[in-house]
Amino acid sequence: MAKKLTCKSWAEPFKVKVVEPIKMTTKTYREKAAKEAGYNTFLLKSEDVYIDLLTDSGTNAMSDYQWAGMMLGDEAYAGSRNFYNLWDNIKKYYGFPYFVPTHQGRAAEHLISKILIKPGDYIPGNMYFTTTRQHQELAGGTFVDVIIDEANEPQNTHPFKGNVDLNKLDKLVKEVGAKKIPYISLAAPVNMAGGQPVSMANIIELESYAKKHGIKLWLDATRAVENAYFIKQREKGYEDKTIAQILKEMCSHFDGIWVSAKKDLLVNIGGFLATRNKHVYEEARNMVVVYEGLHTYGGLAGRDMEAMARGIEEMTNYDYIRSRIGQIEYFGKKLMEYNIPIVQPIGGHAVFLDAKRFLPHLKQIEFPAQTLAIEVYMDSGVRAMERGIVSAGRNKVTGEHNYPKLELVRFTLPRRVYTQAHIDVTFESIVSVYENRKKIKGLKMVYEPKYLRFFQARFDRL
Ligand code: F0G
């Protein structure tokens, strides 16, 4: 009997106009490349990678509309026209009156951490992000994780695993006092938890809690469009709202946001800080001159600000964001059919393999996620990223490794770049590594840099 159609495709609302050839390599070649890279996928040459799922950061394909805008770059040192175009769209789509451009997200994190944090302060947030926490610590603060427990359970299918546990937050406030908490650092969705969203209800609760205690509420809005999509899909009352309406409503609850434009905004470089707080704005506008460049370019070329301005107009298109997240869902569901352990629900920017369950014979100190990432690379040339003990770094007081509950490998989908067939190749490679998993041995770290070690650490095979 013929198969019955069960669902409609998530197919892309765009087509390919320019192509970029990629190199096909042999397994022997890749084993040599992996060794030379110290078994760290960050240290591989891009040339030696077939399908690059390391990150969705700055790896997006721009549209013809964005490329056309690049030709309209006004490269004046001061007061570029593109700065004003970008500002207009930040006001229109995010709803903040003030904004400062930066060359990427962590530069905006640097500014906001320096402006708001005093040594000895505590910054509660929904799971750490590597660069965010690093800047909070460099400013003298201590990050405290107040995410709900479900976030640390890869098989728990809670629809909003990025939510803050208000009891954990309240406990911290009672312990250290609200005066020692300059702001709550929310991320929506939560990258390290598997791209898990925060509900609007949780944001509203947080806002009223923060107001009551005189604490500011800031959002890492790097992938806020993906969060808005999940709210539309999963939260009652939002089914009929547009992505743009939900995004603006989310932002309306915060004092300000910082953004790595290299994600949602469909560009290759850029970031910004936006706020309704005039004092913070004035500080940031002054400080950006020291670290990035004049406040009307913040380390960016005029053409890049134009690409960002136009990317903002494209990012909230429903058919686009549905196809983006649809592609990730397609990938995750295929893995689940073969019982490959992944984080559920499937996230907004990536599929995360659960390395603890994939390689249960490895101890966490044998770097299971790091091992799994490099094994998949050697198998097929697909590059992914460790998000486990290496990324978690060391405790800033004791110097011991942090042992995170989640030991994951992230297969991140750049926006508008890869096809369904590329996803199939990736899926087949993961299944083939899974079939041979028992033979896989772990790694030992042989070089460790001081900051954000996952980027540059080197390993050897055990
Ligand atoms: N916040 C989040 C949630 C991020 O995912 C990133 C970067 C940043 C801030 C920092 O922005 O890279 O522009 O300086 N995430 C990349 C990733 C690196 O691969 O997840 P940046």
Side-chain angles (χ1 to χ4, degrees):
M1 218 174 63
K3 223 175 153 178
K4 269 232 162 83
L5 193 62
T6 49
C7 63
K8 286 252 165 70
S9 170
W10 44 267
E12 297 86 349
F14 48 82
K15 59 185 176 179
V16 179
K17 175 140 65 182
V18 177
V19 296
E20 177 184 346
I22 42 183
K23 191 161 91 181
M24 315 282 275
T25 52
T26 63
K27 191 156 186 177
T28 318
Y29 181 93
R30 291 191 295 270
E31 278 170 357
K32 190 165 161 274
K35 186 160 192 251
E36 279 170 14
Y39 299 99
N40 184 346
T41 53
F42 276 104
L43 299 177
L44 288 166
K45 288 186 185 146
S46 154
E47 263 201 343
D48 295 338
V49 173
Y50 174 35
I51 298 169
D52 203 349
L53 306 186
L54 183 72
T55 176
D56 62 333
S57 183
T59 52
N60 309 301
M62 293 205 294
S63 66
D64 50 4
Y65 175 61
Q66 286 174 295
W67 278 108
M70 296 284 276
M71 288 304 290
L72 302 176
D74 169 2
E75 306 307 341
Y77 189 91
S80 159
R81 145 179 14 106
N82 315 110
F83 165 79
Y84 291 102
N85 292 346
L86 176 55
W87 196 352
D88 284 345
N89 275 351
I90 286 172
K91 283 184 212 157
K92 185 168 164 198
Y93 286 83
Y94 292 93
F96 294 100
Y98 307 120
F99 118 95
V100 171
T102 59
H103 81 279
Q104 61 181 81
R106 70 199 70 180
E109 290 171 343
H110 177 209
L111 298 179
I112 195 61
S113 303
K114 262 202 145 76
I115 293 168
L116 294 181
I117 300 170
K118 291 187 303 299
D121 280 350
Y122 293 85
I123 304 94
N126 51 347
M127 197 171 276
Y128 83 100
F129 183 70
T130 54
T131 58
T132 316
R133 183 180 65 187
Q134 184 72 68
H135 281 294
Q136 291 165 347
E137 286 182 354
L138 287 171
T142 300
F143 176 81
V144 182
D145 192 358
V146 293
I147 202 165
I148 57 172
D149 288 340
E150 287 88 338
N152 285 307
E153 300 161 5
Q155 286 160 288
N156 192 312
T157 56
H158 189 296
F160 291 104
K161 279 166 100 174
N163 282 359
V164 164
D165 181 334
L166 272 286
N167 291 323
K168 288 188 192 173
L169 176 62
D170 193 50
K171 187 164 165 270
L172 177 74
V173 172
K174 291 206 167 109
E175 259 168 40
V176 305
K179 286 211 167 63
K180 284 235 174 255
I181 302 178
Y183 64 106
I184 298 165
S185 172
L186 196 84
V190 182
N191 192 348
M192 303 298 278
Q196 305 296 332
V198 179
S199 69
M200 194 74 85
N202 192 244
I203 291 174
I204 291 167
E205 258 190 306
L206 266 177
E207 185 194 22
S208 82
Y209 183 92
K211 279 219 168 102
K212 200 170 115 200
H213 292 84
I215 302 171
K216 291 192 172 67
L217 185 59
W218 277 73
L219 174 69
D220 180 337
T222 294
R223 296 183 184 82
V225 172
E226 290 165 14
N227 201 91
Y229 179 81
F230 285 125
I231 288 178
K232 185 173 168 73
Q233 296 301 306
R234 299 177 187 170
E235 196 162 352
K236 215 166 164 282
Y238 290 91
E239 310 81 345
D240 298 327
K241 294 203 172 163
T242 65
I243 300 294
Q245 283 170 334
I246 299 172
L247 175 67
K248 208 160 174 182
E249 184 178 331
M250 278 170 64
C251 289
S252 73
H253 299 292
F254 293 85
D255 293 283
I257 57 174
W258 67 86
V259 175
S260 165
K262 301 169 75 174
K263 284 80 166 175
D264 271 353
L265 279 76
L266 296 158
V267 291
N268 304 119
I269 195 72
F272 64 90
L273 200 81
T275 180
R276 60 186 91 260
N277 182 314
K278 192 148 192 235
H279 169 71
V280 172
Y281 164 62
E282 278 170 0
E283 289 274 301
R285 191 178 60 161
N286 191 205
M287 207 179 272
V288 78
V289 185
V290 180
Y291 294 108
E292 295 283 295
L294 192 69
H295 62 278
T296 60
Y297 75 87
L300 291 165
R303 54 180 169 269
D304 292 320
M305 290 190 284
E306 188 61 31
M308 283 166 68
R310 292 179 179 219
I312 291 179
E313 292 168 22
E314 295 181 352
M315 72 185 186
T316 55
N317 176 290
Y318 179 73
D319 293 321
Y320 149 69
I321 191 67
R322 171 174 170 269
S323 78
R324 160 157 184 70
I325 294 180
Q327 188 180 44
I328 295 159
E329 241 176 64
Y330 168 81
F331 178 26
K333 281 187 177 153
K334 278 193 93 104
L335 291 167
M336 281 162 70
E337 282 171 21
Y338 283 75
N339 278 336
I340 309 286
I342 65 168
V343 175
Q344 291 178 50
I346 298 160
H349 64 309
V351 169
F352 291 70
L353 298 186
D354 181 358
K356 279 190 183 170
R357 277 188 295 147
F358 199 114
L359 299 173
H361 58 288
L362 296 191
K363 296 199 274 291
Q364 197 165 12
I365 196 61
E366 293 169 342
F367 307 110
Q370 187 78 29
T371 304
L372 184 49
I374 205 71
E375 287 292 334
V376 173
Y377 169 72
M378 291 189 288
D379 180 70
S380 59
V382 173
R383 168 156 73 171
M385 180 194 290
E386 192 263 10
R387 294 278 80 157
I389 182 167
V390 186
S391 297
R394 289 179 184 272
N395 181 292
K396 76 171 181 151
V397 181
T398 65
E400 291 297 311
H401 291 289
N402 291 318
Y403 284 83
K405 294 205 178 88
L406 296 176
E407 180 70 27
L408 311 175
V409 185
R410 188 183 77 177
F411 290 77
T412 338
L413 272 291
R415 295 164 187 79
R416 307 192 292 206
V417 172
Y418 290 113
T419 66
Q420 190 165 332
H422 287 122
I423 301 292
D424 289 343
V425 169
T426 304
F427 145 77
E428 286 160 12
S429 173
I430 294 169
V431 172
S432 132
V433 172
Y434 190 66
E435 282 166 357
N436 295 302
R437 66 191 179 281
K438 294 200 174 112
K439 288 189 231 136
I440 295 173
K441 293 201 176 69
L443 296 167
K444 62 174 185 229
M445 203 187 288
V446 294
Y447 167 71
E448 180 177 357
K450 194 163 155 205
Y451 300 116
L452 302 173
R453 64 185 185 178
F454 56 94
F455 284 128
Q456 292 152 340
R458 299 185 70 86
F459 301 83
D460 229 331
R461 290 174 111 168
L462 284 174

